[in-house]
DNA sequence: TTGAAAGCGCTACCAG
DNA sequence: CTGGTAGCGCTTTCAA
């Protein structure tokens, strides 16, 4: 026993690893008092609190949040799962999400599934870290996994995807309404042969954008909408699909892409074929990524309100509450807005629509 | 049917916090045994291990890594501090770093300093989480903070910056050598009035690129290098600096920017002024961000070997070792390579240099 | 190989 | 308001 305390004292002296116990000893108070000085709920005299803080600073003491977590059952960590960091849409999403998380006094544990790994595979690992909440971006989990999270009272929100019936929260922009705005706009500006180029076939974002677009065109008595499969949401997919489409007969006069990055690939493909944008063909994207505003592309698109979406997503996790999902799963759809730039033009009065703006 | 209800029961129980104790009780063994089944160093019979794992799965038990951390003093978390997620260089860096961290069985705790907050401000918070190591991207800490980390045996590596004399590891690309390659290339292709447009004035990346460029030009008997201050590494800074520079007399025939994003701003600015790239002026960037390869820009640049840099950064943290910095701070500089595209041309034989390539 | 017991550093409850 | 005391869930001696 004696040997043990000698060792401990030596370690303390070395400056490594100062504990509340150490601070208590130098002050001749109890360890509980040190704890109270760093808690905002516990009652402690201002005088004592000041004394403790001062001593703590001198010794370099910082409460160990890991030890705290063990007893409070809260780690103050939110897991964010994000499969694709490189597509320009996601850095903005991550930035806004992390800001929201941090502004509530929480930290972000970031999980990037390796290629070929799906979210369910990483969930067990993630849950071991006892995170207080989980944000899934452009991904979903199985209903079995959703049940496990519910049983643990760990709220989960899906960002930019939703699965009807799945017992997790969801926040996305209103993709159907956004796509309808595009249809309205293209028809109003005199386009007669619109096409939709899809991204990842089964993603809800893709389906909603396509369905909203096609169904609104039908309502407007425009029954022929060419469709081309891109396969995924990449630049390469947009580029390749555009080349295929434009080489075939019956050229469309407007292309609506499932996302901006694809649309930018589409613009480059059209230009390579000697087809001018917007004189020969109008191009519309979805997202309003930073690149869409560059003068070389100046892409007409639907702006996703990422900041509000991120705020809504983190709000619904209800981090201030002790734990759990209070009110059953919520689905929130936030409307986007049409940003007209010069990748589209009015074919009734052949003047460029919108104005070029740099970034 | 029967199996189904068992599963359901297990999940329900999972809600009430399955601990090693619970698994031990159902198996009639000690809690220590459960612990040993999930440890790879402890000795346990294969038979027992299997039995424990099976029971654990049935009950939905997962070891609580927070509790484990308290005693092992290792959280298996690496903090990554990244101030700017939006500039296209950083998503790639983050992606590679996280891959490296995860591939070693660690997780990433991501810190994004809010505007106006510097890294020293967030370090105390970060250290409370008892992370095993810290990666700072494009940022440094005070020497006082470096000493605190050293005292705690928490290794720190600075990615893409270095501070001579600071007791932390550093990994960056060899910016001086890269800039020299640019100078060599521009002189070899007949440029006579080069200019350098700087980014953030005091960043080591900026200083090394400028100094490497200017000093190499001098060696090559080209003593006049125009310099223009951009102020920061943004598109806007590159755009504005280019406008200022090109409106003044004595037009340069080549612009070397402190980074790609600035160079892209520069291309847009030049085009707006009716100056053709590369016919009237050659433009070179630094980084090789994904956008640099787009046909609209097709930017000649120095490619930073981000994957190797990320690997080197995480390697130097020596995560496999119990703790601490074994061998004093290391500084590694990894060479980049010149990628010639069509934003530059050979002014001796006026034909475009390099070939356009999409992304 | 296994079980019992002692903590890791902290919070939370109970008296005083 | 403060000190004592009991754990949080786990790893790790030390015996058996």
């Amino acid at each position: 026993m004696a040997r043990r305390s000698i060792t401990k004292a030596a370690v303390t002296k070395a400056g490594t690893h100062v504990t509340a116990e150490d601070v208590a000893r130098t002050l001749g108070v109890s360890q509980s008092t040190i704890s109270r000085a760093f808690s905002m709920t516990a009652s402690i005299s201002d005088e004592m609190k000041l004394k403790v803080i001062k001593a703590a600073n001198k010794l370099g003491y910082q409460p160990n949040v890991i030890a705290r977590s063990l007893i409070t059952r809260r780690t103050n960590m939110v897991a964010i799962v994000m499969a694709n960091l490189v597509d320009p849409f996601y850095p903005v999403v991550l930035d806004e999400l992390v800001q929201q998380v941090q502004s509530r006094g929480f930290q972000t544990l970031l999980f990037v599934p390796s290629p070929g790994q799906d979210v369910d595979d990483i969930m067990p690992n993630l849950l071991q870290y006892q995170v207080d909440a989980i944000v899934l971006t452009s991904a979903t989990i199985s209903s079995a996994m959703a049940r496990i999270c519910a049983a643990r009272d760990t709220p989960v929100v899906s960002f930019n995807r939703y699965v009807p019936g799945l017992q997790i929260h969801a926040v996305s922009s209103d993709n159907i309404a956004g796509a309808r705005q595009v249809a309205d706009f293209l028809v109003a500006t005199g386009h007669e042969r619109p096409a939709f180029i899809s991204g990842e076939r089964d993603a809800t974002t893709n389906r909603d954008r396509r369905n909203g677009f096609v169904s609104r065109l039908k309502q407007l008595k425009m029954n022929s909408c060419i469709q081309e499969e891109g396969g995924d949401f990449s630049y390469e997919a947009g580029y390749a699909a555009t080349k295929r489409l434009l080489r075939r007969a019956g050229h469309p006069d407007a292309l609506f892409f499932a996302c901006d990055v694809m649309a930018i690939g589409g613009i480059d493909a059209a230009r390579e074929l000697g087809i001018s944008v917007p004189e020969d063909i109008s191009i519309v994207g979805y997202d309003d990524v930073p690149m869409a505003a560059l003068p070389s592309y100046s892409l007409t698109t639907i702006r996703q309100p990422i900041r509000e979406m991120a705020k809504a997503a983190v709000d619904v996790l209800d981090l201030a509450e002790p734990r759990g999902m209070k009110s059953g799963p919520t689905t929130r759809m936030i409307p986007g807005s049409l940003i007209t730039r010069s990748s589209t033009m009015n074919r009734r009065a052949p003047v460029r629509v919108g104005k070029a703006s740099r970034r």
Side-chain angles (χ1 to χ4, degrees), chain A residues 33 116 193 202 211 224 245 251 346:
Chain A
T33 299
R193 297 180 305 282
D202 298 323
N211 294 343
S224 67
L245 183 59
H251 287 340
N346 191 339

Side-chain angles (χ1 to χ4, degrees), chain A residues 315-356:
Chain A
D315 276 343
V316 81
L317 296 175
D318 217 0
L319 296 176
E321 286 311 301
R323 279 197 145 253
M325 191 188 294
K326 300 300 163 301
S327 47
T330 323
T331 297
R332 278 203 57 186
M333 304 272 215
I334 301 178
S337 50
L338 180 73
I339 308 292
T340 50
R341 298 201 183 91
S342 47
S343 66
T344 50
M345 65 180 285
N346 191 339
R347 306 212 175 279
R348 296 211 166 112
V351 187
R352 285 192 174 209
V353 170
K355 58 181 194 300

Side-chain angles (χ1 to χ4, degrees), chain A residues 11-264:
Chain A
V11 168
T12 305
K13 236 171 209 162
T16 328
H17 227 94
V18 189
T19 71
E21 188 70 50
D22 299 328
V23 182
R25 242 192 330 261
T26 68
L27 246 46
V29 298
S30 77
Q31 181 268 322
S32 317
T33 299
I34 311 305
S35 171
R36 282 192 266 261
F38 286 91
S39 144
M40 47 206 100
T41 53
S43 57
I44 183 172
S45 70
D46 290 348
E47 177 191 32
M48 179 61 96
K49 188 167 186 164
L50 214 72
K51 224 166 63 179
V52 172
I53 301 285
K54 223 181 67 183
N57 284 337
K58 206 162 78 181
L59 297 180
Y61 169 75
Q62 293 268 116
N64 181 332
V65 301
I66 296 297
R68 174 183 295 165
S69 297
L70 193 56
I71 182 156
T72 60
R73 319 195 119 304
R74 310 205 85 217
T75 52
N76 272 28
M77 296 194 298
V78 174
I80 297 184
V81 181
M82 183 165 276
N84 184 346
L85 291 178
V86 177
D87 182 313
F89 176 63
Y90 290 101
V92 184
V93 170
L94 182 58
D95 192 26
E96 295 290 348
L97 286 172
V98 173
Q99 301 284 359
Q100 290 294 330
V101 166
Q102 290 185 170
S103 72
R104 288 164 172 79
F106 285 69
Q107 301 302 335
T108 303
L109 198 60
L110 177 64
F111 288 79
V112 178
S114 359
Q117 204 179 26
D118 81 1
V119 180
D120 262 45
D121 297 331
I122 63 168
M123 286 295 289
N125 187 9
L126 187 158
L127 290 171
Q128 288 194 324
Y129 279 85
Q130 315 292 120
V131 294
D132 293 338
I134 301 170
V135 181
L136 307 173
T137 62
S138 302
T140 50
I141 51 175
S142 64
S143 56
M145 194 54 81
R147 244 176 283 122
I148 290 174
C149 294
R152 298 176 58 124
D153 278 339
T154 304
V156 180
V157 62
S158 168
F159 185 97
N160 207 34
R161 289 279 188 289
Y162 62 90
V163 180
L166 190 62
Q167 296 296 299
I168 64 176
H169 299 297
V171 171
S172 73
S173 70
D174 191 337
N175 293 302
I176 294 178
R180 280 161 173 267
Q181 282 184 74
V182 174
D184 287 341
F185 169 75
L186 289 177
V187 169
T189 49
H191 295 82
E192 296 173 345
R193 297 180 305 282
F196 179 79
I197 293 92
S198 67
E200 204 181 301
R201 212 176 187 305
D202 298 323
T204 56
T205 41
N206 185 66
R207 284 209 317 261
D208 287 354
R209 289 167 196 177
R210 184 192 58 218
N211 294 343
F213 187 62
V214 172
S215 69
R216 183 68 181 151
L217 288 175
K218 279 216 179 90
Q219 283 177 11
L220 297 169
K221 314 294 178 207
M222 185 169 296
N223 287 308
S224 67
C225 178
I226 304 160
Q227 296 197 28
E228 181 71 28
E229 292 292 334
D232 61 46
F233 290 114
S234 68
Y235 175 94
E236 287 75 14
Y239 178 91
T242 304
K243 285 242 162 148
R244 283 198 303 275
L245 183 59
L246 297 185
R247 276 180 182 138
R248 288 203 302 263
H251 287 340
D253 59 3
L255 302 183
F256 175 35
F257 288 82
C259 72
D260 279 357
V261 176
M262 295 181 73
I264 286 168

